[in-house]
């Protein structure tokens, strides 16, 4: 809870105040249309960045899961290589690893 409050107080709030002040100055100097366009650009940027980060995170999770599964099969095959050879299961282990 303390970490979240510190992050809000020292990271989010200063950015929100600065953006509000910048949009206010922009609206007074260049007109409300310009400030509205800048606000829309900022909202689009935040939305796209959030979507792209979540999409990339999901891709990385799937890649990590696939690598973890492949490593588990590989090390399981190595640990039990005598048993695999004894029962002639090399083809089965290759198919399992290729999945």
């Amino acid at each position: 809870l303390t970490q979240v409050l510190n992050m809000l107080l020292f990271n989010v709030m200063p950015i929100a105040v600065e953006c509000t002040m910048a949009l206010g100055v922009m609206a007074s100097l260049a007109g409300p249309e310009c400030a509205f366009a800048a606000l829309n650009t900022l909202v689009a940027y935040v939305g796209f960045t959030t979507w792209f980060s979540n999409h990339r995170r999901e891709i990385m999770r799937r890649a990590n899961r696939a690598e973890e599964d492949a490593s588990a099969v590989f090390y399981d095959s190595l640990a039990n290589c005598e048993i695999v050879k004894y029962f002639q299961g090399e083809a089965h282990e290759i198919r399992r690893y290729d999945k």
Side-chain angles (χ1 to χ4, degrees):
L1 181 65
T2 305
Q3 186 177 6
V4 172
L5 290 175
N6 280 337
M7 191 172 82
L8 282 174
L9 182 63
F10 295 115
N11 292 339
V12 176
M13 290 302 291
I15 293 172
V17 169
E18 183 179 358
C19 285
T20 303
M21 289 173 32
L23 288 172
V25 169
M26 192 179 295
S28 68
L29 293 178
E33 296 86 12
C34 185
F36 185 69
L39 180 63
N40 282 339
T41 303
L42 185 65
V43 168
Y45 169 76
V46 169
F48 175 76
T49 303
T50 303
W51 172 81
F52 191 79
S53 296
N54 290 337
H55 181 67
R56 186 176 180 282
R57 190 175 300 122
E58 183 58 36
I59 289 171
M60 291 305 297
R61 280 188 186 133
R62 284 191 305 233
N64 289 340
R65 202 173 307 126
E67 184 178 352
E68 185 179 302
D69 292 343
S71 292
V73 170
F74 177 72
Y75 288 118
D76 183 46
S77 297
L78 280 179
N80 299 314
C81 69
E82 294 298 323
I83 295 170
V84 170
K85 284 183 181 180
Y86 183 75
F87 289 105
Q88 299 174 351
E90 291 94 348
H92 172 71
E93 290 299 321
I94 290 171
R95 281 192 307 274
R96 214 172 120 206
Y97 186 72
D98 283 342
K99 274 199 245 179

